[in-house]
Amino acid sequence: MLVLFVEDDPMNRRVVRDMLRVVGSVMEEAEEAATGLEMLAARPYDMVLMDLRMPGMDGITAIRLLRETPGPNQSTPVIVVTADMAPDLRASCLAVGADEVIVKPVAMAALLDAMARLAPQEAADEFVID
């Protein structure tokens, strides 16, 4: 499975990359939302992980633009990965087109569970750790 993680913190990217490597997924990275949108316009991904608080464009805006712009990833599942615990955050993310929200620090079980629920049926078994 090919995953794009849009996240400005290199440590967070490394941790998630290591988690995904365990289940055989390949992760590409973007350090900012604008770069992530460029990558999403250029090729299809199986899943997008999106931080919310980044310099420049925030994740909410990036998700909204992704969903509004025709392209190979307009309907690709998006999981928001955030440390923000604002009460209405989940509703705001879902309203712009995110499919799930998980909190940092990322727990491997939470990430893989969300990915298994959103992945195409033929790929869902990838995210089960025995």
Side-chain angles (χ1 to χ4, degrees):
M1 184 166 227
L2 181 60
V3 178
L4 176 64
F5 190 15
V6 183
E7 162 70 65
D8 60 321
D9 185 284
M11 180 60 75
N12 289 333
R13 291 194 312 268
R14 191 182 109 223
V15 167
V16 171
R17 181 177 50 254
D18 290 346
M19 288 179 188
L20 294 178
R21 189 174 292 137
V22 168
V23 295
S25 290
V26 175
M27 186 181 98
E28 293 187 355
E29 307 170 19
E31 295 182 17
E32 58 186 33
T35 302
L37 288 173
E38 290 172 9
M39 293 172 73
L40 288 162
R43 70 178 293 183
Y45 288 88
D46 298 304
M47 186 95 43
V48 178
L49 307 177
M50 180 76 68
D51 184 25
L52 291 184
R53 308 285 182 242
M54 295 176 281
M57 183 187 309
D58 65 30
I60 294 274
T61 302
I63 295 166
R64 184 180 49 75
L65 290 171
L66 174 64
R67 296 303 190 218
E68 291 175 352
T69 307
N73 295 290
Q74 188 175 25
S75 61
T76 298
V78 174
I79 299 173
V80 170
V81 181
T82 184
D84 192 336
M85 300 298 292
D88 296 333
L89 179 71
R90 181 177 178 78
S92 296
C93 292
L94 297 177
V96 297
D99 297 284
E100 184 58 85
V101 178
I102 61 174
V103 296
K104 296 176 192 173
V106 177
M108 187 168 185
L111 177 62
L112 297 182
D113 177 63
M115 292 180 77
R117 284 185 281 108
L118 297 171
Q121 185 58 43
E122 64 274 7
D125 290 341
E126 241 180 80
F127 303 105
V128 177
I129 302 287
D130 294 324

